[in-house]
Every structure is written in C-alpha cells, then in structure tokens.
Amino acid sequence: MSKRPPLTLTAGLLACALLNVPGAQASGPDQAAAVRRAVDEAMKPIIAEHGLPGLAVAVTIDGQRHFVEYGLASRTPEVPVTRDTIFELGSISKTFMVTLTALAEVEGKLSLSDSVTKHVPDLKGSALDQVRLVELATHTAGGFPLQVPDEVKSEAELTAYFRAWTPQHPPGARRVYANPSIGLLGVATARAFGQPYATLMERRLFPELGLRRTYIDVPAAEMGSYAWGTNRDGKPVRVNPGPLASEAYGIKSNAVDMIRFLEANMGVGSVPAGLARALSATHVGYYRAGEMIQDLVWEHYPWPVALERIVAGNTPPALLNAPATAIEKPVPAQGDVFINKTGSTGGFGAYAAFIPGKRIGIVMLANKFYPNAARVKAAHAVLSRLTE
C-alpha cells in the first residue's frame, strides 16, 4: 500500500510572484513579432495535420499578452475565431474546481485531510469513509470509472452510485483519472461553503479571478460567441451536460480569460490574498505518477524538461491509470517547473501550460479534439523558443 502524504497548506504559497523574469526576453514590437513567429511555426502544422476548424492561442510573458487566432468558430454561418470566442475547456475545468477547494481550505471551511463523508454525510458507512479529499483531488481515491455511468441520471441515483462504489485499489496506491471522483470533490466543496457549486463559481471565483466571459452555463447574450465543436464525423457539436459535468468538464471560456487565469496562477496581476494562497496551493505536489508529479489536478515536471518526458506523461496510459507513489513531504509550489493540463470534450481540445519562474504561459483552445501529444509538442516548442 502506498504511503499517504501528510496534508499541509504548504509554505511558499506566494513564491511564484517573487521570481525573476528572464532578462533575455524582448519587449514591445520585437516581443510581439517573436511570439507570432513562434506560434505560427508551432500551430500551423497541427492545424493542417489534424484538420482543426479553429484555434485561439494566447501567450503571456510577464503580464504582456499576445493573441493569435486561426480559422473558424462556426462553419455555417462562417464566423472567424477571435480572442473572445468561447470554447469548451473540458477537464481544464477541474483546475478551477480545485482552486475553489483550496480556497475553502484557506478560509477554514475544510481540510484536504478530511474524509469525503465529513462533508457529504449521506455517504457515511460507504467505502468513501476511508477516502480523503486530497485523494479525490489527485485522482488517487481508489479507482472510479472515467465517466459517471450512463444509467445514473438523478441526484438520488448519484448518491446510490457512490454508496455502492467498491474501490479497486487502496487510497493513494494508483492514479486513476476519473470524472466521478473530481465531481464528488466539487460536491464536498460546495457543501463546505454552504452554497450551490455554480453560484460559487460564477458569482465568486470567476469575478475574483478577473474573468469576465467564463461560464458554466453560457448566457443567451453570449451564444453568438460560443464556438461550435466538431465531432469525429465532422458534425457541429456542443457538450451534453450530465451528472457532475459542471465540476468535472463543464466550464467554457475564451483566450482572454484563460490567459488571465494562468497569470493569476503565476502571481502576475492582483487577486485577493486568500485566493492567491489558494492558487499556489493547487501547485503543491502530492504524488509521483510515471513522468509527472501530481498536484491538485495540475501536473508538473521540472524545468527545463525534455519534450519526450511531457509527451509520455500525457499519453492515455500514463494519464488514465498508473501506479502512484506518495511524496512524504508534499513538494511546495515552485518556480522552475512546467505545469500543464489538458482538456477535451466530444468536439473541443484545450491545453494550458506555464512556467511560473519564467512568468510565461500558453493557452490553446480548439474546436475539435486532437491528440494530447500534438498539443504538448506545440506548446513546448513555443515556450522553449520564447525562454531561450
């Protein structure tokens, strides 16, 4: 059985804001031109190879933002992608969810070392008595399926499903990527706050992050900016909400808001002090799983890092089910790391990556699913070139 790590709200939570930006980076028009060249060289080949209808890319370098857009958000009628186009984030939604959990811990509403059933008492007496919130947040709860089963429709059926769940592994032994466990963390977090999850996101977290066009439910006035995804048959598609969708994969956003989110994660710009602590807490490493260190949903690698290592860490076998080793003393948030997260729905593919110590990050939002390896290679190429 893997040793389960101790839980702390780690020191160094604001370290990212204190790190220097590499002096070799250009600024002004020279920087803009360098970013454009790097992005074009990395993105145009994957657009052609994978037939991406549209792609919005945002790069931040020490708070200087650059946007590059390609293709169409909709084919019928033809609507070009812009920096304001709203895309489905898929599992990048989980990074917002754990930020809310970390904020609840900062405010004393829960502890990551709490059992799940302390906050979801209707599950007491089930196997979840032995699972801590941190294990939900690191995919190490014991082996849920990737998705909530199709037959589970109602809240009562969801509760019955969790009560009947039988772990495949001891908590902390394996990293098994699963929407039900992350979704359950969202339920526990919302109960700790005593408010509905969507309310907490849309009326508190998004505004405190400075996000103006990020949604769980896209309002009617914004539907014209909401891209159409493309499924495997080339048909237009958008995500179908299901149980725990909001918590696990249901957030929609644009390149402007998402690059702001990465800046907040790097300590660039201003957010409330408690939220800054929470953001940094999501970068604490709790488990080693293959090539990666597993943070709270985010995954990180030492920087500089060989491209092959990040690609290997983002392959389906490594992401979905791999042995996990608990880190006895969780690794505090650091600067010299490459932090990343992929996200997908049936018609969209997203990627976010940043290097806190360089204060540089990239967001890639596409309205078609395409392989993680292509996303990683393109982002790594851009970040490597711009930090040379």
Side-chain angles (χ1 to χ4, degrees), residues 56-351:
V57 179
V59 174
T60 180
I61 304 173
D62 193 29
Q64 297 297 310
R65 301 174 186 174
H66 305 271
F67 299 92
V68 184
E69 302 90 20
Y70 306 91
L72 299 175
S74 167
R75 288 191 172 115
T76 308
E78 286 196 359
V79 178
V81 169
T82 73
R83 69 188 63 182
D84 296 316
T85 300
I86 296 169
F87 292 80
E88 294 172 8
L89 300 183
S91 286
I92 294 177
S93 303
K94 296 175 172 68
T95 64
F96 290 93
M97 201 283 303
V98 292
T99 301
L100 189 65
T101 301
L103 183 60
E105 184 166 47
V106 166
E107 296 182 354
K109 293 178 169 61
L110 58 73
S111 168
L112 286 171
S113 61
D114 291 342
S115 72
V116 174
T117 56
K118 177 177 179 178
H119 300 281
V120 192
D122 34 342
L123 299 179
K124 281 186 179 294
S126 73
L128 287 157
D129 283 332
Q130 307 305 315
V131 177
R132 301 179 299 164
L133 298 182
V134 70
E135 284 139 5
L136 296 182
T138 54
H139 313 295
T140 58
F144 283 95
L146 179 60
Q147 305 289 358
V148 175
D150 290 341
E151 61 271 18
V152 174
K153 306 292 186 185
S154 68
E155 186 173 339
E157 290 171 337
L158 189 62
T159 298
Y161 165 72
F162 281 123
R163 288 195 62 84
W165 172 68
T166 301
Q168 299 175 353
H169 317 285
R174 292 189 72 86
R175 181 189 184 278
V176 181
Y177 195 87
N179 286 332
S181 58
I182 291 292
L184 181 57
L185 179 62
V187 172
T189 300
R191 293 196 183 185
F193 274 107
Q195 296 182 57
Y197 181 80
T199 300
L200 289 162
M201 280 290 173
E202 295 191 325
R203 298 186 187 178
R204 182 173 182 189
L205 188 64
F206 297 161
E208 287 191 7
L209 285 165
L211 310 184
R212 298 180 178 180
R213 303 183 71 188
T214 299
Y215 308 102
I216 290 175
D217 296 311
V218 179
E222 288 277 46
M223 292 302 288
S225 297
Y226 185 2
W228 280 99
T230 307
N231 68 13
R232 292 181 180 180
D233 298 321
K235 305 291 186 182
V237 63
R238 287 176 177 154
V239 69
N240 290 319
L244 304 178
S246 298
E247 296 85 349
Y249 56 86
I251 293 176
K252 298 89 178 173
S253 189
N254 63 18
V256 175
D257 276 9
M258 285 305 297
I259 208 65
R260 167 63 193 139
F261 180 51
L262 292 200
E263 288 173 349
N265 271 273
M266 292 188 287
V268 177
S270 177
V271 297
L275 179 55
R277 292 176 63 201
L279 287 162
S280 192
T282 67
H283 309 157
V284 174
Y286 289 93
Y287 288 90
R288 298 183 188 276
E291 297 292 338
M292 75 174 73
I293 292 180
Q294 179 66 62
D295 305 337
L296 301 183
V297 171
W298 292 108
E299 302 140 13
H300 84 246
Y301 305 78
W303 181 265
V305 60
L307 171 61
E308 293 76 15
R309 186 172 176 183
I310 309 174
V311 170
N314 280 281
T315 59
L319 284 177
L320 296 178
N321 194 330
T325 302
I327 298 172
E328 185 173 354
K329 293 183 178 180
V331 179
Q334 301 172 72
D336 294 332
V337 291
F338 179 100
I339 301 175
N340 80 160
K341 185 71 186 78
T342 60
S344 303
T345 61
F348 291 79
Y351 188 61

Side-chain angles (χ1 to χ4, degrees), residues 29-66:
D30 290 342
Q31 184 184 88
V35 170
R36 181 73 201 218
R37 285 194 300 272
V39 171
D40 278 346
E41 289 177 9
M43 303 301 159
K44 287 183 177 180
I46 66 171
I47 292 170
E49 180 179 357
H50 300 287
L52 303 185
L55 177 67
V57 179
V59 174
T60 180
I61 304 173
D62 193 29
Q64 297 297 310
R65 301 174 186 174
H66 305 271

